[in-house]
Amino acid sequence: MEFLKPLQTDLAVEARENIVEQTSAPISGLHVENDENDEDVTITRVTIDSDQAQQMVGKPKGIYVTVEAPGLRYKNTPLSAKVMNYVAQELAKLLHVSSDATILIVGLGNWNVTPDALGPRTIDKIVVTRHLDDLLSPELKGGVRRVCALAPGVLGLTGMETAEIIKGVVAEVKPQTVIAIDALAAASSSRVVTTIQLSTTGIHPGSGVGNKRFGLTEDSLGVPVIAIGVPTVVHASTIAMDTIHILQEHAAFARYFKSLETLSDQDQQKVIRQVLPDILGDMMVTPKEVDRMIDDIAVVVAGGINQALHPNIDYENIHMYLH
Amino acid sequence: MEFLKPLQTDLAVEARENIVEQTSAPISGLHVENDENDEDVTITRVTIDSDQAQQMVGKPKGIYVTVEAPGLRYKNTPLSAKVMNYVAQELAKLLHVSSDATILIVGLGNWNVTPDALGPRTIDKIVVTRHLDDLLSPELKGGVRRVCALAPGVLGLTGMETAEIIKGVVAEVKPQTVIAIDALAAASSSRVVTTIQLSTTGIHPGSGVGNKRFGLTEDSLGVPVIAIGVPTVVHASTIAMDTIHILQEHAAFARYFKSLETLSDQDQQKVIRQVLPDILGDMMVTPKEVDRMIDDIAVVVAGGINQALHPNIDYENIHMYLH
Amino acid sequence: MEFLKPLQTDLAVEARENIVEQTSAPISGLHVENDENDEDVTITRVTIDSDQAQQMVGKPKGIYVTVEAPGLRYKNTPLSAKVMNYVAQELAKLLHVSSDATILIVGLGNWNVTPDALGPRTIDKIVVTRHLDDLLSPELKGGVRRVCALAPGVLGLTGMETAEIIKGVVAEVKPQTVIAIDALAAASSSRVVTTIQLSTTGIHPGSGVGNKRFGLTEDSLGVPVIAIGVPTVVHASTIAMDTIHILQEHAAFARYFKSLETLSDQDQQKVIRQVLPDILGDMMVTPKEVDRMIDDIAVVVAGGINQALHPNIDYENIHMYLH
Amino acid sequence: MEFLKPLQTDLAVEARENIVEQTSAPISGLHVENDENDEDVTITRVTIDSDQAQQMVGKPKGIYVTVEAPGLRYKNTPLSAKVMNYVAQELAKLLHVSSDATILIVGLGNWNVTPDALGPRTIDKIVVTRHLDDLLSPELKGGVRRVCALAPGVLGLTGMETAEIIKGVVAEVKPQTVIAIDALAAASSSRVVTTIQLSTTGIHPGSGVGNKRFGLTEDSLGVPVIAIGVPTVVHASTIAMDTIHILQEHAAFARYFKSLETLSDQDQQKVIRQVLPDILGDMMVTPKEVDRMIDDIAVVVAGGINQALHPNIDYENIHMYLH
C-alpha cells in the first residue's frame, strides 16, 4: 500500500475525500452513500468497518453521517428548520434506545473560547425532562424520554478530565446512551458552521477544537456514545498547504515551480511543521461572525436532538404538558 | 419554653439575633464570639452544638463564621483584599486536610439568574491545580493542594440534582473535602453582598436562592462539606413583616394600631402568607447593581479560597511555576 | 376635586385603574377603549387629552396603548407571534411617517442591570437598513424604511445624558421619528414582562427602571418620539402598601384593625416612606427568571417594530434581498 | 525610488520594519526612537513627517508610539501594571489639553465579534466623570478631567457610520479631544495582544479589524483624535506569505526552490490574492484564548487612559471622593 497524505480534519467525509483523491484502488470496508434529494442539503453516510479502512481514513470504525447545508452560514430560518429535521432523522437511526430510556447529553468544550463553545451553548437549548417524571401528565409519560444534560467545562477550568466527570455522573445517573456534542476542526473553510457530523464512535482523544487527553467512548463509559460535532475552525496548516498547492498547480507560476512538482510529502510536511509553530503559535482560523454562527447552529443541533428524543412533543409549549 | 418567631434567613447570625431579641433566657449549646478588631470588618463565630440550640435557631449543628464588611457594596480594592485575607484565615481554621489533599470546589446555582450566579462565577476564578501535577516544579509539589472545581448548573437546566452529579464526581475523583459555594437569602438588606458566611454543615435542602431538594452534606457525600455563602437577595416577606412592625411600633401611628400590639405570631404569619403569593409570585428583592456586586464578591470569595488552599503561592504568576 | 391616592407606576393603564377605583365621577378628557376579542390578549387604549385628566392620572397628555398577555411569562411561541402582530398593528397606527422615512430606534437602559436591559437587548434584534440603501434591489427600494438603531448606555456608564447623545445623533442623521424603548416599573407584579405599552408621549424624566434626569420628547428632540415600554420590576412600595391593604381589608384580622380603616392616605404614605428607605435601600423587586423573560419579550418588541416599519419584508431572509 | 513590498498591518512599527528590511537608503521624514530600558517592555516612537515617508510606510503623517510586552500574553499582574504606567505616560505626552478639559473616549468595534470587541470592553472600564461635576468635592474639582465615553457599535448593528454618531455627539458635548480605541490587525502573530499603539493620527478608513468606510480624524470631527489600538488578529495573508518565504529561504528545500528566489513581488501578491479568497473567505486568524486576552489588555488600556486623564486620583476608591 502506497503512502497517502494524511489530512488534519475531524470530519470523516473530508478524510475520505482526501484518500479517494490519491488512490483509485477500492478500499475494502469503506462504504459511502450520498443523499442529495434536497438541493440545499447533502447527506453523506460513511461507514468504516475494516482495519484497513480505519487506518487509511484515520478514523475509528463506525458510522459517520454528515448533514451539509452551505446556506446555514446566513440566518435562514426555513433552512435551519429543514436541517434540524434531517439531524433528528439521522440521529434517530443511530439511537437504539427504548421509548422510556434515560439519555445523558454532554456538551464538551470551553464556553470562554467562542469556537470551542458549541457544546455548552447546545446544552443550554436541550429540553431536559428527567426531573419532570412526577410532573408529567399521564398521556405524556410514555412519549417523553428521560433526558438530562451537562456541560462540565474543560480540563483547564475544572482540573478534571471531562471523561472523569462524565464517568462519575454515568455511574450515578445510569443513562442508556450518552450523546456528546463537540466543536470540530475541518480542513476546508467552506464546511465551517455548515456541516453537522453524527457518529457512532464517541469522542476520541485529540479530536475537536480543544485538546482532549481521554476520550468519551463506549469502552470508557460502558454505554454507547453518539458524537455530534460541527466544525468551527479550520486547521491553520490548511492555509500553508493550500499555498503550496497553488504554487505547484497554477499554470501562471509554472516557470518558477517546475521542481515543486516533485516536492515529497515528507518535505511538504516539514514546511508545514516549520511554518506553523513559528508563525501561528496558538492561533486559530475561524469565521469573523463565529459567535452568531455558533448560536445559530446550536439551535439546529439542539432542536434535532430534542426532536429525535421526544418525537411527539411540541417543545415550545412543553410547559402546557406539566401539571 | 415560649414560642419564638422564626425568621426566613440563611444566615445563622441573623437567625441567632432574632432569637436573642425575643428571649433573655440563656440557650445552652449556642455560643457566639465576636471579633471586632478591624473597624471595617466584623467577624462573628456562632457555634450550635445542642439539639435545643439547633431547634431554636433553626440551623443544623456546626460552626458558622460570618465575615461582614458593609463597605463591600462599593468598589474598594484595599477592603476587598482585607476581607479576602479574613476569609482565607477563617476557612483555613475550618479545613482539616493534609497539605497534598485533593479538594473539590462546587459552585451551586444558576448562571442565568444573576442573584443565583455567585457559585458559578466564583468557580470561574478558582485556581485549579489538580491537572498540573506533572507540570509543577519540584519545589512547588509540596506546597500546592490538588484543587478541582465544578459548577454543574441547577436541576431545571440539567435534569439532575446537583447532589447526584457531585456524588458521582466525588466517587470518581475522591476529594478529601468538598467546598460548596452558594448564593443565600438574608432577612436584612444591609447584609446583601456585604457578608460572607462559612460553615461546617454543608448545604441543606431548601437553603440558598434556588430551591434545593437534596443537600450536599457529609452524610450524603461521605466527605466533609464546608459551605461558603453570600446573601444576594432578601426575602420579600421581610418587607411585609417590617411594614407590620413599623405599624406596630411607631408612635406616630399609635392611635390606629393599639390593637396591633397583640397581633399573634400566627396571625402575622398568616398575613405574610397571604400577602406574598398574591403579590409577589416568583419575585425576588435584590440590589439594582447585583450583577457588578456579585462579580466583585466572587473575586473575594475565590481569592480567599485560593489563598487558604495554597498559602505559599503567588497566584497571579502561577504560570511561572509551570515547566 | 378630592385628593386621590397616587400610584407609583409607569403604566397609564394602572394609573387610570387606580383613579377609577377611587372616584365614580367621570373625568373629562380621559378616554378608555378595550379590545378583548382575543382571549389570550387584551388591548387597552387610554387617551389623555385634558389638563385635568393629565393631573389626575399623573401622566402627560397623549395616547397610551397597552397590549397585555399573561401567557407571555411562559415560553410560548405562537402567543409571542400573535402579540408581535398586535404590537406591529398598534405601532403602525401611532406612526405617521412616509414609506421611505428614516426612523431612529433608541434602546434606553443599562445592559449591566438585567431588569434595565430591555432597551439594549431589543436594539440587538432590530433589522437596521439605513446603511443598505445602495445594496437593496430595486423592487425593495420602496418597501423598506431607512431604520437605524442605537443603545447608548446610561449616564453612569457614559458620563453623558442619553438625551444629549440622542440629540446629537438626531441632528446628524435627521430621522422623521424616534422610537424609544425602555424598561418600566409597574404597580402589580402580574403585569411584569406580560404587558407592552406604546405611547405617543416619548420618555419623561423619572420614568423607567433607571433614573432619568432628562426626557426624550418631541420638545427636546424636535421630532415625534414614540415610547415602547415593558414593566420588568414592581415598586417595592407596592409590597408595603399591599400589606397594609390586606391588614385593612381582610375579615380574619378585623378585630385588630378596626382603626386601620380610617388610616389616612397621608399616614399611609408616611408608612411607605419610612419602611422603604430603611429596609430596601437600593433594592428592586423583579422576577427570578427576569433574564430569560427579557430576552423573550425583547424578541416580541423588536419583531413588532420590524414588522411595523417594513410590512412587506420576510425578515429572516433579508440577506436574500441584498445584491 | 524602487518598488517595495507593502505589508498588511495596522502597526506603523511593522510597516516601518518591512521597509527598512528592503532598502538601505535613508528615508527622509521617518524617525525612529527606541526605549529599551525595561527588559520586559520595549517602547518605540515612529514619527512620519514627510510625504515620502508617509507613502513608503503607508501610514499617514503623525506620531506612532508602540508599547510592546510579550509577557502580556500570560496573566501577569505586575507586568500589566507596569505597561499601564507606560501607556499613561506616553498618552500624557500626546495629549495637549487643559486640566479641566472635556475628553470623549470612543470604543470602536463590534462587541459580538470577540477580536473586534477591544473598544467596547475598554469603554466598560473607563472612569467617566463628566456627570459628577456637582458631586465632586472642592479639593478634587481641579484634578479631575471631565471624561465621557461611548461604544456606539458598528455599521451593521446601528445602520449608522460610527463617524456620523460621533460627529453628532461631539457637536453636542464639545470635547477638547477625542480618544478612539480600536482592535487592529498585525502582520506578526507575536504582536497580537502584546502590543499597544498610540497615535496622533486618529482612525483611518479601512484600518482595524472591522471595515471602516469613514475615519475618525481631526479633519472629520474638528478636534484632535488620538487613536489607541491593540492587534487582536493577524492577516491570513501572513500565513500564506510566510509559507512562501520559508520555501524560498530554507536551505533544506533549496533544490526545489532555486527559481523561487526570483519570484517577483507581483507574482507573490498574485499567489496571495488567489489563495486567500478561495480558502479563507471571511475567516480570521486569532489566538485561541482571545476572549480572556482581550479582557486582560482592556484593563491595561483603560487603566492607562484613566491614569493619564486624572493623574491624582486613586481610581479604585473614587466613590470616596464623591459627596
Side-chain angles (χ1 to χ4, degrees):
Chain A
M1 185 180 92
E2 63 179 315
F3 179 83
L4 299 181
K5 277 192 289 181
L7 185 74
Q8 279 192 285
T9 176
D10 292 322
L11 294 177
V13 74
E14 286 187 340
R16 186 222 146 234
E17 277 171 11
N18 178 56
I19 294 307
V20 170
E21 277 170 16
Q22 296 179 54
T23 177
S24 55
I27 300 165
S28 99
L30 177 61
H31 309 284
V32 182
E33 185 192 318
N34 278 298
D35 188 339
E36 302 188 343
N37 295 327
D38 188 321
E39 63 174 3
D40 297 324
V41 184
T42 304
I43 299 176
T44 310
R45 296 179 195 89
V46 174
T47 308
I48 297 177
D49 60 15
S50 74
D51 289 343
Q52 191 207 351
Q54 168 169 325
Q55 197 187 332
M56 290 188 74
V57 178
K59 301 285 161 206
K61 282 183 230 177
I63 303 171
Y64 300 83
V65 182
T66 318
V67 180
E68 290 182 65
L72 285 179
R73 276 183 171 255
Y74 313 100
K75 195 153 186 76
N76 179 334
T77 307
L79 178 60
S80 297
K82 201 157 65 170
V83 174
M84 203 183 285
N85 283 333
Y86 287 127
V87 169
Q89 285 166 24
E90 298 299 323
L91 177 56
K93 287 184 213 162
L94 301 182
L95 269 176
H96 300 290
V97 296
S98 60
S99 70
D100 64 347
T102 297
I103 312 280
L104 172 62
I105 323 279
V106 179
L108 302 177
N110 187 343
W111 44 76
N112 293 330
V113 172
T114 308
D116 198 22
L118 174 78
R121 294 201 191 171
T122 302
I123 289 299
D124 254 14
K125 297 168 178 64
I126 292 291
V127 176
V128 296
T129 52
R130 178 173 169 271
H131 61 307
L132 300 178
D133 245 28
D134 306 336
L135 298 169
L136 291 174
S137 55
E139 63 269 27
L140 266 191
K141 272 274 165 68
V144 174
R145 290 206 179 88
R146 295 163 46 89
V147 173
C148 50
L150 189 66
V154 296
L155 182 65
L157 298 176
T158 65
M160 298 177 281
E161 294 290 342
T162 304
E164 291 180 292
I165 298 172
I166 298 309
K167 212 172 152 188
V169 173
V170 163
E172 195 66 27
V173 171
K174 300 189 177 43
Q176 230 173 297
T177 285
V178 167
I179 298 176
I181 303 154
D182 199 13
L184 305 179
S188 154
S189 73
S190 69
R191 285 207 168 87
V192 168
V193 213
T194 64
T195 296
I196 299 169
Q197 173 176 278
L198 302 95
S199 84
T200 58
T201 59
I203 303 285
H204 288 266
S207 69
V209 172
N211 295 316
K212 276 153 212 85
R213 301 198 301 190
F214 297 92
L216 285 183
T217 62
E218 182 157 5
D219 275 359
S220 64
L221 296 183
V223 297
V225 182
I226 292 179
I228 304 185
V230 176
T232 60
V233 303
V234 291
H235 278 288
S237 62
T238 305
I239 303 172
M241 205 178 270
D242 284 346
T243 307
I244 294 176
H245 289 168
I246 293 239
L247 289 172
Q248 286 179 319
E249 291 162 16
H250 208 284
F253 306 121
R255 59 190 167 115
Y256 300 119
F257 304 117
K258 248 270 48 75
S259 52
L260 265 178
E261 282 164 18
T262 59
L263 178 65
S264 73
D265 296 334
Q266 286 90 331
D267 279 345
Q268 192 159 322
Q269 285 300 312
K270 215 180 283 174
V271 174
I272 301 305
R273 274 196 302 273
Q274 271 188 294
V275 172
L276 292 180
D278 289 0
I279 308 175
L280 289 182
D282 212 20
M283 311 295 275
M284 61 190 176
V285 184
T286 192
K288 239 179 161 175
E289 297 204 57
V290 68
D291 198 78
R292 177 190 64 71
M293 285 173 170
I294 286 185
D295 272 352
D296 290 352
I297 200 95
V299 170
V300 174
V301 173
I305 294 173
N306 289 336
Q307 200 176 314
L309 295 181
H310 317 298
N312 303 318
I313 294 199
D314 170 4
Y315 292 91
E316 299 289 3
N317 298 312
I318 199 168
H319 73 276
M320 301 191 309
Y321 297 95
L322 306 178
H323 47 211
Chain B
M1 185 181 95
E2 61 178 317
F3 180 84
L4 299 181
K5 279 192 290 183
L7 186 73
Q8 278 191 284
T9 175
D10 293 321
L11 293 176
V13 74
E14 286 189 339
R16 186 221 147 235
E17 278 171 11
N18 177 55
I19 294 307
V20 169
E21 277 169 17
Q22 296 179 56
T23 178
S24 57
I27 299 164
S28 101
L30 178 61
H31 309 284
V32 181
E33 185 192 319
N34 277 297
D35 187 340
E36 303 187 341
N37 295 328
D38 188 319
E39 63 172 6
D40 298 324
V41 185
T42 304
I43 298 176
T44 310
R45 295 179 197 88
V46 174
T47 308
I48 297 176
D49 60 16
S50 75
D51 290 342
Q52 192 208 350
Q54 168 169 326
Q55 197 189 330
M56 291 189 70
V57 180
K59 301 283 162 208
K61 282 184 232 178
I63 304 171
Y64 299 84
V65 182
T66 318
V67 180
E68 289 181 66
L72 284 179
R73 274 181 173 258
Y74 313 99
K75 195 152 188 76
N76 179 333
T77 306
L79 178 59
S80 296
K82 202 157 64 170
V83 174
M84 202 184 287
N85 283 333
Y86 287 126
V87 170
Q89 284 166 26
E90 298 300 323
L91 176 57
K93 286 185 214 161
L94 301 181
L95 270 177
H96 301 290
V97 296
S98 60
S99 69
D100 63 347
T102 296
I103 312 281
L104 172 63
I105 324 279
V106 179
L108 301 176
N110 187 344
W111 43 76
N112 293 331
V113 173
T114 308
D116 198 24
L118 174 77
R121 294 201 192 170
T122 303
I123 289 299
D124 253 15
K125 297 169 177 61
I126 292 292
V127 176
V128 296
T129 52
R130 178 174 170 271
H131 61 307
L132 300 177
D133 245 30
D134 305 337
L135 298 168
L136 290 173
S137 55
E139 64 268 28
L140 267 191
K141 272 276 166 66
V144 174
R145 290 206 180 87
R146 294 163 47 89
V147 174
C148 49
L150 189 66
V154 296
L155 183 63
L157 297 176
T158 65
M160 298 177 281
E161 294 290 343
T162 304
E164 292 180 290
I165 298 172
I166 300 308
K167 212 172 151 189
V169 173
V170 164
E172 194 68 25
V173 170
K174 300 188 174 49
Q176 230 173 298
T177 285
V178 167
I179 298 176
I181 303 153
D182 199 12
L184 306 179
S188 154
S189 74
S190 69
R191 283 204 169 91
V192 169
V193 213
T194 65
T195 297
I196 299 167
Q197 173 176 276
L198 302 95
S199 85
T200 58
T201 59
I203 303 286
H204 287 265
S207 69
V209 172
N211 295 316
K212 275 154 214 82
R213 303 197 301 189
F214 297 92
L216 285 183
T217 61
E218 181 156 6
D219 275 0
S220 64
L221 296 183
V223 297
V225 182
I226 292 178
I228 304 184
V230 176
T232 61
V233 304
V234 291
H235 278 287
S237 62
T238 305
I239 303 173
M241 206 178 269
D242 284 347
T243 306
I244 295 176
H245 289 168
I246 293 238
L247 288 173
Q248 287 179 319
E249 290 163 17
H250 206 283
F253 306 120
R255 59 190 167 113
Y256 303 117
F257 304 116
K258 223 64 243 108
S259 53
L260 265 179
E261 281 163 20
T262 59
L263 178 65
S264 73
D265 297 334
Q266 287 90 330
D267 280 344
Q268 190 158 322
Q269 286 299 312
K270 215 179 284 172
V271 174
I272 302 304
R273 273 195 303 272
Q274 273 187 292
V275 171
L276 293 181
D278 289 1
I279 309 174
L280 289 182
D282 212 21
M283 310 294 276
M284 62 188 179
V285 184
T286 193
K288 239 179 161 174
E289 298 205 55
V290 67
D291 196 79
R292 177 190 64 71
M293 285 172 170
I294 286 186
D295 272 352
D296 289 353
I297 200 91
V299 170
V300 174
V301 173
I305 294 173
N306 289 336
Q307 200 175 314
L309 295 180
H310 318 295
N312 302 318
I313 293 200
D314 170 5
Y315 293 90
E316 300 289 5
N317 299 310
I318 199 169
H319 72 275
M320 301 191 308
Y321 296 95
L322 306 177
H323 48 210
Chain C
M1 185 179 94
E2 62 180 315
F3 179 84
L4 298 181
K5 278 190 289 183
L7 186 73
Q8 279 193 284
T9 176
D10 292 323
L11 294 176
V13 74
E14 286 189 338
R16 186 222 148 234
E17 277 171 12
N18 177 56
I19 294 308
V20 169
E21 276 169 19
Q22 296 177 57
T23 178
S24 56
I27 301 164
S28 99
L30 177 61
H31 310 285
V32 181
E33 183 193 321
N34 277 298
D35 188 340
E36 301 187 345
N37 295 326
D38 188 320
E39 63 173 4
D40 298 324
V41 185
T42 303
I43 298 176
T44 309
R45 296 180 196 86
V46 175
T47 309
I48 297 176
D49 60 16
S50 74
D51 290 343
Q52 190 207 352
Q54 167 168 326
Q55 197 188 331
M56 290 189 72
V57 180
K59 302 283 161 207
K61 282 184 232 177
I63 303 170
Y64 299 83
V65 182
T66 318
V67 180
E68 289 181 67
L72 285 178
R73 274 182 172 255
Y74 313 99
K75 195 154 187 77
N76 179 335
T77 307
L79 178 60
S80 297
K82 201 157 64 171
V83 174
M84 201 182 286
N85 284 332
Y86 287 125
V87 170
Q89 285 166 26
E90 298 299 323
L91 177 57
K93 287 183 214 163
L94 302 181
L95 269 177
H96 301 289
V97 296
S98 60
S99 70
D100 63 347
T102 296
I103 312 280
L104 172 63
I105 324 277
V106 179
L108 302 176
N110 186 343
W111 43 76
N112 293 330
V113 172
T114 308
D116 198 22
L118 176 77
R121 292 200 193 171
T122 302
I123 290 299
D124 253 15
K125 296 168 178 62
I126 292 292
V127 176
V128 297
T129 51
R130 179 174 171 270
H131 60 307
L132 300 178
D133 246 28
D134 304 337
L135 298 169
L136 290 174
S137 54
E139 66 267 30
L140 268 190
K141 272 275 166 68
V144 174
R145 290 205 179 86
R146 295 164 44 91
V147 173
C148 51
L150 189 66
V154 296
L155 182 64
L157 297 176
T158 64
M160 298 177 281
E161 294 291 343
T162 304
E164 292 179 290
I165 297 172
I166 299 308
K167 211 172 152 188
V169 172
V170 163
E172 195 67 26
V173 170
K174 301 188 174 46
Q176 229 172 300
T177 285
V178 168
I179 298 176
I181 303 154
D182 199 13
L184 306 178
S188 153
S189 72
S190 70
R191 282 204 170 90
V192 168
V193 212
T194 65
T195 296
I196 299 168
Q197 173 175 277
L198 302 94
S199 85
T200 56
T201 58
I203 303 283
H204 288 266
S207 68
V209 172
N211 295 315
K212 275 151 215 83
R213 302 197 302 190
F214 298 93
L216 286 183
T217 61
E218 181 155 6
D219 275 359
S220 64
L221 297 184
V223 296
V225 182
I226 292 179
I228 303 184
V230 176
T232 61
V233 303
V234 291
H235 277 290
S237 62
T238 305
I239 303 173
M241 205 176 271
D242 284 348
T243 306
I244 294 175
H245 289 166
I246 291 238
L247 288 173
Q248 287 179 317
E249 291 162 15
H250 206 284
F253 307 119
R255 58 188 168 116
Y256 302 118
F257 305 117
K258 210 77 232 118
S259 52
L260 266 177
E261 282 163 17
T262 58
L263 178 65
S264 74
D265 296 336
Q266 288 89 328
D267 279 344
Q268 192 160 319
Q269 286 300 312
K270 214 181 284 172
V271 175
I272 302 305
R273 275 195 303 273
Q274 270 187 292
V275 172
L276 291 181
D278 289 0
I279 308 175
L280 289 183
D282 211 21
M283 310 294 277
M284 62 188 178
V285 184
T286 192
K288 237 179 160 174
E289 298 204 56
V290 68
D291 197 80
R292 177 190 63 72
M293 286 171 169
I294 287 186
D295 273 351
D296 290 351
I297 200 91
V299 170
V300 174
V301 173
I305 295 172
N306 288 336
Q307 200 175 313
L309 294 181
H310 317 298
N312 302 319
I313 293 202
D314 170 5
Y315 293 91
E316 299 290 3
N317 299 311
I318 199 167
H319 71 275
M320 301 191 306
Y321 297 93
L322 309 176
H323 47 212
Chain D
M1 184 181 94
E2 61 179 315
F3 179 83
L4 298 181
K5 278 191 289 183
L7 186 72
Q8 277 192 286
T9 176
D10 292 322
L11 294 176
V13 73
E14 287 188 339
R16 185 223 149 233
E17 277 171 12
N18 177 56
I19 295 306
V20 169
E21 276 169 18
Q22 296 178 56
T23 178
S24 55
I27 300 164
S28 99
L30 177 62
H31 309 284
V32 182
E33 184 192 320
N34 277 297
D35 188 339
E36 301 188 341
N37 295 327
D38 188 320
E39 62 173 5
D40 297 324
V41 185
T42 303
I43 297 175
T44 309
R45 296 180 197 87
V46 174
T47 309
I48 297 176
D49 61 16
S50 74
D51 290 343
Q52 190 207 354
Q54 168 169 323
Q55 196 188 331
M56 290 189 73
V57 178
K59 302 283 161 207
K61 282 184 230 179
I63 304 171
Y64 299 84
V65 182
T66 318
V67 180
E68 288 181 67
L72 284 178
R73 275 182 171 254
Y74 313 99
K75 193 150 188 79
N76 179 334
T77 307
L79 177 60
S80 296
K82 202 157 63 171
V83 174
M84 202 183 285
N85 284 333
Y86 287 125
V87 170
Q89 285 167 25
E90 298 300 324
L91 176 57
K93 286 184 215 163
L94 302 181
L95 270 176
H96 301 289
V97 296
S98 61
S99 69
D100 63 349
T102 296
I103 311 280
L104 173 63
I105 323 278
V106 179
L108 302 176
N110 187 342
W111 43 76
N112 293 330
V113 172
T114 309
D116 198 23
L118 175 79
R121 293 201 192 171
T122 302
I123 289 299
D124 253 13
K125 297 168 177 63
I126 291 291
V127 176
V128 296
T129 52
R130 178 173 171 273
H131 60 308
L132 299 178
D133 246 28
D134 304 337
L135 297 168
L136 290 174
S137 55
E139 64 268 30
L140 267 191
K141 272 275 168 61
V144 174
R145 291 205 178 89
R146 296 164 44 90
V147 173
C148 50
L150 189 66
V154 296
L155 181 65
L157 297 177
T158 65
M160 298 176 281
E161 294 290 341
T162 303
E164 291 180 293
I165 298 172
I166 298 309
K167 211 171 153 190
V169 173
V170 163
E172 195 68 25
V173 172
K174 300 189 174 46
Q176 228 173 302
T177 284
V178 168
I179 299 177
I181 304 154
D182 199 13
L184 306 179
S188 154
S189 73
S190 69
R191 282 201 170 93
V192 169
V193 214
T194 64
T195 296
I196 298 167
Q197 173 175 279
L198 303 94
S199 84
T200 58
T201 59
I203 304 284
H204 287 266
S207 69
V209 171
N211 296 316
K212 277 152 214 82
R213 302 198 300 191
F214 297 91
L216 286 183
T217 62
E218 182 157 5
D219 275 0
S220 63
L221 297 183
V223 296
V225 182
I226 292 180
I228 304 186
V230 175
T232 61
V233 303
V234 290
H235 279 288
S237 62
T238 306
I239 303 172
M241 207 178 268
D242 283 347
T243 306
I244 294 175
H245 289 167
I246 292 238
L247 289 171
Q248 287 179 318
E249 291 163 16
H250 207 284
F253 306 119
R255 61 193 165 110
Y256 302 117
F257 304 115
K258 227 64 248 101
S259 53
L260 266 178
E261 283 164 18
T262 59
L263 178 66
S264 74
D265 295 334
Q266 288 91 326
D267 279 344
Q268 192 160 319
Q269 285 299 313
K270 212 179 286 173
V271 174
I272 301 304
R273 275 196 303 271
Q274 270 188 292
V275 173
L276 292 181
D278 290 358
I279 308 176
L280 289 182
D282 212 21
M283 310 294 277
M284 62 189 176
V285 184
T286 193
K288 238 179 159 173
E289 298 205 55
V290 67
D291 196 79
R292 178 190 63 71
M293 285 173 170
I294 286 184
D295 272 351
D296 290 352
I297 200 92
V299 170
V300 173
V301 173
I305 294 172
N306 289 336
Q307 200 175 313
L309 295 181
H310 317 298
N312 302 319
I313 293 201
D314 170 6
Y315 293 91
E316 299 289 5
N317 298 313
I318 198 166
H319 73 274
M320 301 191 307
Y321 296 94
L322 308 177
H323 49 212

